[in-house]
Amino acid sequence: MAMRFELVSPERRLASKDVRAVRIPGADGDLAAMEGHTPVVTSLRPGVLVIETEDGGEERFAVTGGFAEIGPDSTTVLAERALPASDVTQEVYDDWVADARGQAKDAPQDTIDSATKLVEDMVAMGGHIGLDPKQPNL
């Protein structure tokens, strides 16, 4: 059983293929999308999105946020930023974390908790793909 999957960032389309499943870092928790899934739209948190290919392999992508639209026959992820996990260098990751810290620093008082969570999720994502989070001061 396969479903159509699309992963798009503002810069480019990163994936467009038939897949067995997609593991998505949802803002309210991780979820798996497979053929026959009940339709749902969810926001993403920074994390690692994993495509389970039809041949039993996996492809991993680092995403910094965005939205996923899951349906019974297809799933589309519109990511704020996304790269194959293997392409995320320490320099790219450090830039992403610095951007998240800047957003947290400039966040209005009533959104400081969600901005801090963004930084924590970004740091955790780096650990999941083998990069050094440098234990930031939150």
Side-chain angles (χ1 to χ4, degrees), residues 69-86:
E69 180 180 9
I70 303 167
D73 301 320
S74 66
T75 294
T76 301
V77 172
L78 305 172
E80 291 173 359
R81 286 182 289 196
L83 285 173
S86 60

Side-chain angles (χ1 to χ4, degrees), residues 81 83 87-98 131:
R81 286 182 289 196
L83 285 173
D87 289 355
V88 180
T89 63
Q90 187 69 48
E91 181 180 3
V92 168
Y93 172 67
D94 289 344
D95 287 344
W96 286 2
V97 172
L131 297 174

Side-chain angles (χ1 to χ4, degrees), residues 100-116:
R101 285 188 187 137
Q103 290 178 39
K105 180 181 168 217
D106 297 337
Q109 189 61 37
D110 61 337
T111 63
I112 196 72
D113 289 342
S114 62
T116 300

Side-chain angles (χ1 to χ4, degrees), residues 41-56:
V41 174
T42 186
S43 56
L44 305 179
R45 65 171 166 65
V48 179
L49 180 142
V50 180
I51 299 171
E52 296 178 16
T53 60
E54 290 187 288
D55 63 4

Side-chain angles (χ1 to χ4, degrees), residues 107-127:
Q109 189 61 37
D110 61 337
T111 63
I112 196 72
D113 289 342
S114 62
T116 300
K117 174 95 169 75
L118 173 71
V119 174
E120 292 170 351
D121 288 340
M122 194 73 70
V123 168
M125 177 186 58

